[in-house]
Amino acid sequence: DTSQTSVTGPINSYTLAYPFTNYSDTVNGASVTWTGNAGNAATEDSGAGYATFWGFPWEALPNASAEQTELAYVLGLCP
């Protein structure tokens, strides 16, 4: 089973709380930013453009504060 139930990023660690069925997965490639209990959970690419790819849904972060913290981190990476 590759479902992510917890993740650790550059700022915090979280236990994920899914409001729906957990269909999360692992991701490969680019720079790993968030790791999870099942492997790489999210990546970032700061090449010519900027992109992040998440193997778990944003809504699974445990609360609004966690969502705001991680969104601020991602937006802070953009040029």
Side-chain angles (χ1 to χ4, degrees):
D1 185 358
T2 59
S3 296
Q4 303 287 1
T5 57
S6 62
V7 294
T8 299
I11 300 174
N12 292 307
S13 295
Y14 301 103
T15 297
L16 302 176
Y18 291 84
F20 37 73
T21 303
N22 177 352
Y23 291 115
S24 65
D25 207 347
T26 58
V27 295
N28 293 310
S31 243
V32 174
T33 305
W34 287 268
T35 58
N37 63 291
N40 299 340
T43 63
E44 63 183 59
D45 179 6
S46 57
Y50 195 88
T52 62
F53 180 82
W54 297 63
F56 62 95
W58 195 261
E59 299 88 352
L61 290 169
N63 54 50
S65 176
E67 292 172 357
Q68 291 170 351
T69 297
E70 299 309 318
L71 180 59
Y73 171 78
V74 170
L75 292 175
L77 296 171
C78 298

